[in-house]
Amino acid sequence: MQISETRYAIDPPTAKTLDTDGLRKHFHVDGLFAAGEIKLVYSHYDRMIVGSAVPNGKTLTLDHDDATGTAGFLDRRELGILNIGEDADISVQGTTYRVAKGEVLYVGKGAGPVEMSGNGRFYLLSTPAHHEHPTKLITLKDARRVEMGSRETANERVIIQFLHPEVHETCQLLMGYTQFSAGSVWNTMPAHVHDRRMEAYLYYDLDADQRVFHFMGKPDETRHIVMANEEAVISPPWSIHSGVGTGSYTFCWAMAGDNVDFTDMDMVAMEALR
């Protein structure tokens, strides 16, 4: 089964008027990782699609979605797939890739149907593409690691970059995840914005009775969304994207927009936050 939803872009003045339910309706993505289903959310922010696939021991095929307006899902798109479950298989153009937990499969424009099988829990991220790049399995050994933060500020972490110009070339999709040292819970603080790119977060490896408070909004007009395990959030280009957990967690980040320069961001001074 494949279930699709469309989210339209809104501007900062409109977002400012929303209550908790309104914010969640526009930016919070729950109900992902349902057994036996592919779920897709088409965002009008840079046309990114956020989704999931849980084969549950069978095979699920991503081949078409009405929202793209093309016969095949990847006719004019690229795709990044992160496995957050058990080792499982993904087949593309006659080649089967064994994808372990924490690994990413990049699937290029024009690759055709994507078959996912086994007991993996696949997180899907797709953006429009103008060029065909080769499909590639990117392991932890292949990924780029950047250590940041400190124990004193509770944000000691390692950023593991999979879809990054120094790892594997893409059209516009950047993707990776961040893991924390013991006792650290803050992500992306000090905050920043990048008006040239949107971003999406998936919070996972979070205990069922714990939560992450995800902060969004203009720097001088911040709001928050409470996130449970395996829930995602869409971050507009004009918004900060930061969070703090009541327990340990991992989050997958992905960006789409004008360029693939990971450091293209505008920092926000702590005293500017409101």
Side-chain angles (χ1 to χ4, degrees):
M1 179 183 295
Q2 184 166 308
I3 300 173
S4 300
E5 177 189 353
T6 297
R7 302 283 184 95
Y8 293 97
I10 60 174
D11 59 13
T14 301
K16 184 177 177 179
T17 68
L18 299 176
D19 61 10
T20 297
D21 288 341
L23 287 174
R24 294 177 74 87
K25 178 181 177 181
H26 282 279
F27 303 109
H28 177 248
V29 181
D30 61 358
L32 295 172
F33 303 100
E37 294 181 356
I38 295 175
K39 291 198 170 185
L40 303 173
V41 176
Y42 183 104
S43 170
H44 278 249
Y45 292 112
D46 289 303
R47 308 288 171 171
M48 178 183 279
I49 291 177
V50 176
S52 61
V54 183
N56 198 33
K58 299 180 181 179
T59 298
L60 293 174
T61 301
L62 178 61
D63 188 17
H64 171 79
D65 190 76
D66 288 343
T68 67
T70 55
F73 185 83
L74 291 175
D75 286 358
R76 296 184 58 82
R77 285 185 161 268
E78 58 188 350
L79 173 67
I81 306 174
L82 167 66
N83 186 11
I84 65 172
E86 298 179 17
D87 296 3
D89 294 330
I90 303 177
S91 298
V92 183
Q93 293 180 312
T95 299
T96 298
Y97 302 86
R98 187 68 171 176
V99 185
K101 180 178 181 179
E103 294 182 345
V104 170
L105 182 70
Y106 172 81
V107 186
K109 172 183 175 289
V114 178
E115 295 182 346
M116 295 162 281
S117 58
N119 290 306
R121 298 173 73 78
F122 297 114
Y123 180 51
L124 314 177
L125 293 154
S126 177
T127 54
H130 60 275
H131 183 79
E132 294 181 8
H133 293 292
T135 296
K136 181 181 178 180
L137 175 63
I138 305 168
T139 67
L140 279 167
K141 182 180 178 181
D142 301 323
R144 184 173 185 265
R145 297 172 62 91
V146 180
E147 295 183 1
M148 295 187 69
S150 68
R151 187 171 301 177
E152 290 75 17
T153 51
N155 66 349
E156 186 177 14
R157 63 201 189 275
V158 57
I159 301 172
I160 306 176
Q161 300 168 335
F162 289 84
L163 301 186
H164 181 281
E166 294 185 28
V167 179
H168 186 65
E169 189 175 3
T170 67
C171 290
Q172 65 167 316
L173 181 60
L174 292 177
M175 181 181 174
Y177 54 81
T178 299
Q179 295 178 322
F180 296 87
S181 299
S184 285
V185 291
W186 275 100
N187 77 69
T188 326
M189 183 61 75
H192 63 260
V193 296
H194 30 71
D195 200 49
R196 293 157 293 280
R197 295 179 297 178
M198 62 82 68
E199 192 157 357
Y201 277 13
L202 172 74
Y203 291 103
Y204 64 103
D205 287 343
L206 178 70
D207 288 346
D209 60 345
Q210 303 297 311
R211 294 293 183 269
V212 172
F213 287 73
H214 177 87
F215 296 97
M216 64 162 295
K218 297 282 283 185
D220 61 351
E221 194 74 42
T222 61
R223 298 290 187 268
H224 74 268
I225 297 176
V226 180
M227 311 289 298
N229 186 47
E230 296 187 351
E231 294 181 348
V233 63
I234 297 168
S235 180
W238 46 262
S239 174
I240 66 166
H241 33 281
S242 180
V244 61
T246 61
S248 63
Y249 63 97
T250 302
F251 74 96
C252 175
W253 45 266
M255 290 178 276
D258 272 343
N259 59 60
V260 291
D261 179 3
F262 183 83
T263 61
D264 178 17
M265 58 186 72
D266 302 314
M267 302 304 298
V268 177
M270 294 295 285
E271 58 268 25
L273 293 174
R274 295 289 185 270

